[in-house]
Amino acid sequence: MTGQKQNPHPYLSGNFAPIKRTRTLTRCSGTGHIPRELAGGQYVRNGGNPTTNVNQGRDLHWFDGDGMLTGVLFKRGKEGGIIEPEFVNQYVLTDIYLNAKDDGNLKRPLLPSIATLLSAPLVTIVVGVFRSLILICLSRLPGSKREVKRISVANTGVVYHDGRALATCESGPPIRFHLPGLETIGWYNGRKAENEGILDDKGGFGGNGLLAFMREWTTGHPHVDPVTKELISFHAVFVKPFVHYSIVPSTRYPAKASDPGPRFDIPVPGVKSPKMMHDFGVAAHHTVIIDLPLSLDPMNGVRGKTIISYDPTERSRYGVFPRYEPHKIQWFETNPCVVFHTANCWETGLVIPEAETCVHLLVCRLTSASIVYSAGALTPPLLKPVPPEYLEEEQCRLYYYSFPLVNTESGEAPMIRNQWALSAIPFEFPTVSPSHAMSSARYIYGCSTGGTSYSAALGKGAKIAYLAKMDATTLIDQGITHPPQQIKGCVDTRGVDEVMQSTDENDPVKLFQMPKGWFAQEPRFVPRANPATEDDGWLLTYVFDESQLDDKGECRDDAVSELWIIDAINMRDIVARIRLPQRVPYGLHSAWFSEDEIAEQKPFDAVRRERSTAEVDMQSPLSIMRDTIEKWIG
């Protein structure tokens, strides 16, 4: 844990390595034609960028690291019709970041790595947690740059709701930042953010009481309804009922007469133990909670398991309930799997009296938890024997479920009607046209590695060699007309090479192949102002040319990335390439913020900032004691 490893960690080397420089809005150059619809908007991506990075031999996971926002603003030029792209990147100034910044005593991050929770013996985890608790307590003493009240690093997603741009992570509430400069404003509780004036005492995420700090932990992927503008989220915790649920309306959207306002911490019944939950499904009228055999339970150590543990002999469960009535949840069970990201969710049968209501869900389904270990450069542990009916080849595919709801008074057990993959190519990091989310969107965009398994590629660092476009409507119709094998079946069985050979303009699977040595990141779909079709728009993604690596596989100091704008209809044309002033490490999730959203941000009083050395009392006895203990425990 404390020594340097001979070989660099794959997630601390190459273009995964953190960068040290941040920039305010900086003019960029480019080639091609930037679509006028992008004028005034901004593309922003979140991801982990460890600031405490001295001990590179420590446990490390791709999902660790302090949140860093990286954006390109499509600024309207002074001369008519000209768009001037500007690059900006800033750390999310969380409590963890502000406390550790420039603290030479800390040789590794304050929090234990996810890799430690996946692989270390109980005594190591206990020591790591105890160290974190000591450092959090020390943060309250003089000499600390920031008291640590919340442990989130806010490094996962970005979302816009009710005049606020928010960065997210499972271990805390969202934190607000300001567009386009990406300055951090403060933690958001569902009612207000810090530095927006006096917070009321009505409570928000987490409520009040001893366990409020835990119940405010908000999923990395809250969803915003494109029609009602409500923000829907859940909160996974370590104590019963294990999952809570929140709905936050927009104050700028006309409320229904019966709308009671925000609903916080509604218990979701039926989850039997703490789980690692990253995403969920949200349709216009229903929500789907995903309860998988992937646990995140401190009590696992007592049972001889790691804190994060996967049991391939347990069932996966999907809980479907009306948006405002979690107590009416219906549970559907099936074979074990792992799902980190949902692509879309919608209903059928709602407008026809007496018709069957069916909830449909598209997810990126993995057949094991190997991706969790691969993203930490770990070898998955030997698991208990898997029943033959659960055995599947290693894969991560775009997968379809249909959940016909039953009349609970009839005593009929809910059963999944359809469950199969749409395509055999590896598929992750999904995105849809924002206006078509929570309805039957036809097109799903995402990433592929080009191999047979997304998880295997992650062990060497996730390298996105293809962007994919799936005609989900066509593939689902084909699957219903000619049903593949339930659970293990697949509608389109072609691999990447076969899809690339296709010349059919109406092929339901299309791939954009990166040039050799170039790799992309999660794309974001941006529609044309008046789209002729659902896919009439562009994909935006950061890309990197790995010929900029030296003979040891490390990035040269002058390495840079680009932002590519790709035609989302034909998945061939690069409309514009914007050369950035520095590289953008491979990261996680992105979002597009329109010119109107940037203009309509809520006012605030101040932003968070780093305290200078002159502002910190380093001479008091308590400060000296804090400094001494920090040096001792590293």
Side-chain angles (χ1 to χ4, degrees):
M1 293 285 293
T2 59
Q4 296 285 333
K5 292 182 182 177
Q6 182 120 19
N7 298 318
H9 195 289
Y11 290 93
L12 285 177
S13 59
N15 195 41
F16 286 98
I19 56 174
K20 299 179 181 179
R21 180 170 183 173
T22 59
R23 295 176 187 258
T24 56
L25 288 162
T26 304
R27 181 76 179 273
C28 305
S29 61
T31 60
H33 174 71
I34 298 175
R36 61 180 177 82
E37 283 89 347
L38 302 185
Q42 187 172 22
Y43 174 74
V44 180
R45 196 229 62 203
N46 201 352
N49 195 85
T51 183
T52 305
N53 201 38
V54 177
N55 177 14
Q56 296 195 19
R58 69 187 186 277
D59 282 356
L60 184 99
H61 198 278
W62 193 30
F63 305 158
D64 296 336
D66 299 280
M68 176 174 277
L69 302 172
T70 305
V72 172
L73 172 69
F74 293 88
K75 182 180 179 181
R76 289 184 182 273
K78 294 181 180 179
E79 299 181 19
I82 296 177
I83 298 175
E84 300 174 351
E86 294 183 339
F87 174 87
V88 58
N89 70 311
Q90 297 291 331
Y91 276 102
V92 184
L93 302 189
T94 63
D95 300 355
I96 295 287
Y97 171 83
L98 292 173
N99 175 264
K101 182 70 167 65
D102 297 327
D103 188 339
N105 297 332
L106 300 181
K107 303 301 185 291
R108 51 198 167 101
L110 184 150
L111 300 175
S113 170
I114 294 174
T116 302
L117 303 182
L118 282 165
S119 62
L122 179 61
V123 63
T124 301
I125 295 175
V126 170
V127 170
V129 171
F130 190 57
R131 170 185 176 271
S132 298
L133 292 174
I134 292 175
L135 291 173
I136 290 172
C137 291
L138 291 175
S139 75
R140 300 172 180 267
L141 300 180
S144 174
K145 289 189 174 182
R146 170 70 64 163
E147 179 182 347
V148 178
K149 295 181 179 180
R150 293 178 173 89
I151 61 172
S152 171
V153 289
N155 68 359
T156 305
V158 280
V159 66
Y160 187 92
H161 175 250
D162 197 25
R164 300 178 180 90
L166 305 170
T168 63
C169 184
E170 263 89 297
S171 55
I175 191 167
R176 183 184 172 190
F177 62 94
H178 186 246
L179 302 164
L182 308 186
E183 303 91 348
T184 304
I185 296 173
W187 300 109
Y188 174 62
N189 72 353
R191 294 185 183 274
K192 272 191 174 182
E194 293 174 326
N195 293 318
E196 287 184 4
I198 299 174
L199 292 172
D200 57 46
D201 58 0
K202 294 181 180 178
F205 298 140
N208 300 308
L210 186 63
L211 297 178
F213 78 96
M214 187 186 302
R215 290 198 301 267
E216 73 176 4
W217 294 349
T218 303
T219 174
H221 293 284
H223 293 257
V224 176
D225 190 314
V227 176
T228 68
K229 308 303 180 184
E230 292 169 309
L231 181 141
I232 300 100
S233 185
F234 73 86
H235 318 270
V237 299
F238 297 145
V239 295
K240 288 183 177 181
F242 302 117
V243 177
H244 297 262
Y245 177 70
S246 295
I247 303 172
V248 184
S250 170
T251 57
R252 300 180 177 187
Y253 195 78
K256 299 176 182 177
S258 59
D259 190 347
R263 302 163 174 83
F264 295 114
D265 302 325
I266 309 168
V268 178
V271 181
K272 300 176 183 178
S273 64
K275 295 297 175 71
M276 188 174 183
M277 291 185 177
H278 188 66
D279 200 356
F280 63 124
V282 183
H285 301 278
H286 290 82
T287 299
V288 183
I289 291 291
I290 305 175
D291 179 8
L292 307 171
L294 182 63
S295 62
L296 175 56
D297 188 352
M299 295 306 295
N300 277 347
V302 179
R303 305 183 187 103
K305 302 179 181 179
T306 53
I307 300 300
I308 299 175
S309 182
Y310 178 70
D311 188 339
T313 66
E314 292 185 1
R315 304 275 281 172
S316 291
R317 305 167 70 236
Y318 296 82
V320 183
F321 57 87
R323 177 178 294 184
Y324 308 107
E325 301 174 293
H327 61 281
K328 293 184 178 180
I329 193 166
Q330 297 185 26
W331 287 101
F332 298 78
E333 294 193 5
T334 185
N335 287 19
C337 65
V338 171
V339 173
F340 279 107
H341 299 120
T342 63
N344 197 25
C345 187
W346 70 100
E347 304 106 341
T348 53
L350 291 175
V351 297
I352 304 174
E354 305 301 324
E356 173 191 71
T357 298
C358 189
V359 177
H360 309 265
L361 181 67
L362 286 172
V363 302
C364 298
R365 178 182 181 267
L366 296 110
T367 50
S368 79
S370 61
I371 191 173
V372 183
Y373 298 90
S374 299
L378 299 170
T379 302
L382 294 175
L383 302 173
K384 62 178 70 173
V386 180
E389 63 271 22
Y390 290 170
L391 285 174
E392 294 185 66
E393 62 178 341
E394 187 69 39
Q395 59 188 233
C396 180
R397 296 172 173 174
L398 183 62
Y399 199 90
Y400 170 67
Y401 291 99
S402 61
F403 305 108
L405 301 182
V406 301
N407 184 343
T408 54
E409 296 179 359
S410 69
E412 183 182 354
M415 299 288 290
I416 301 175
R417 176 168 296 155
N418 292 299
Q419 46 182 328
W420 18 259
L422 298 189
S423 167
I425 69 168
F427 190 90
E428 251 292 359
F429 293 112
T431 181
V432 300
S433 168
S435 61
H436 291 78
M438 304 186 192
S439 61
S440 54
R442 179 170 183 173
Y443 298 106
I444 310 293
Y445 297 91
C447 302
S448 185
T449 60
T452 58
S453 167
Y454 209 95
S455 301
L458 276 173
K460 302 174 183 177
K463 302 291 184 67
I464 296 169
Y466 298 84
L467 300 181
K469 175 184 180 180
M470 300 281 190
D471 183 341
T473 299
T474 296
L475 291 168
I476 291 171
D477 288 346
Q478 289 177 1
I480 293 174
T481 303
H482 303 287
Q485 179 186 3
Q486 294 290 336
I487 301 177
K488 301 179 183 181
C490 181
V491 176
D492 189 319
T493 59
R494 294 174 299 166
V496 167
D497 291 340
E498 292 174 280
V499 173
M500 288 300 300
Q501 293 170 9
S502 173
T503 58
D504 182 3
E505 290 294 326
N506 297 316
D507 197 315
V509 181
K510 292 184 178 180
L511 294 173
F512 173 89
Q513 183 176 14
M514 296 297 298
K516 185 177 181 181
W518 288 75
F519 297 96
Q521 301 194 34
E522 179 193 75
R524 187 56 48 183
F525 178 85
V526 182
R528 193 181 295 275
N530 295 296
T533 57
E534 180 186 319
D535 58 346
D536 190 4
W538 303 274
L539 293 181
L540 274 62
T541 181
Y542 291 126
V543 302
F544 184 75
D545 179 4
E546 293 204 344
S547 69
Q548 300 175 96
L549 304 182
D550 63 21
D551 56 3
K552 295 182 180 179
E554 300 300 333
C555 286
R556 301 196 308 262
D557 291 339
D558 61 350
V560 298
S561 294
E562 296 183 8
L563 173 65
W564 284 7
I565 303 170
I566 300 165
D567 188 316
I569 294 180
N570 64 29
M571 294 296 288
R572 287 193 304 266
D573 299 335
I574 304 172
V575 176
R577 297 172 60 164
I578 299 168
R579 183 178 173 86
L580 308 179
Q582 64 189 48
R583 68 183 178 88
V584 180
Y586 300 130
L588 296 176
H589 301 291
S590 60
W592 170 254
F593 300 98
S594 69
E595 184 176 29
D596 287 344
E597 288 174 332
I598 294 173
E600 294 171 358
Q601 293 176 95
K602 287 182 177 290
F604 55 94
D605 303 326
V607 296
R608 284 192 160 202
R609 64 182 182 89
E610 300 175 23
R611 296 174 67 191
S612 66
T613 303
E615 295 176 283
V616 180
D617 178 8
M618 301 295 292
Q619 302 303 319
S620 69
L622 287 176
S623 178
I624 294 172
M625 180 183 73
R626 180 200 62 79
D627 190 61
T628 301
I629 297 175
E630 276 191 354
K631 288 179 179 177
W632 178 57
I633 66 176

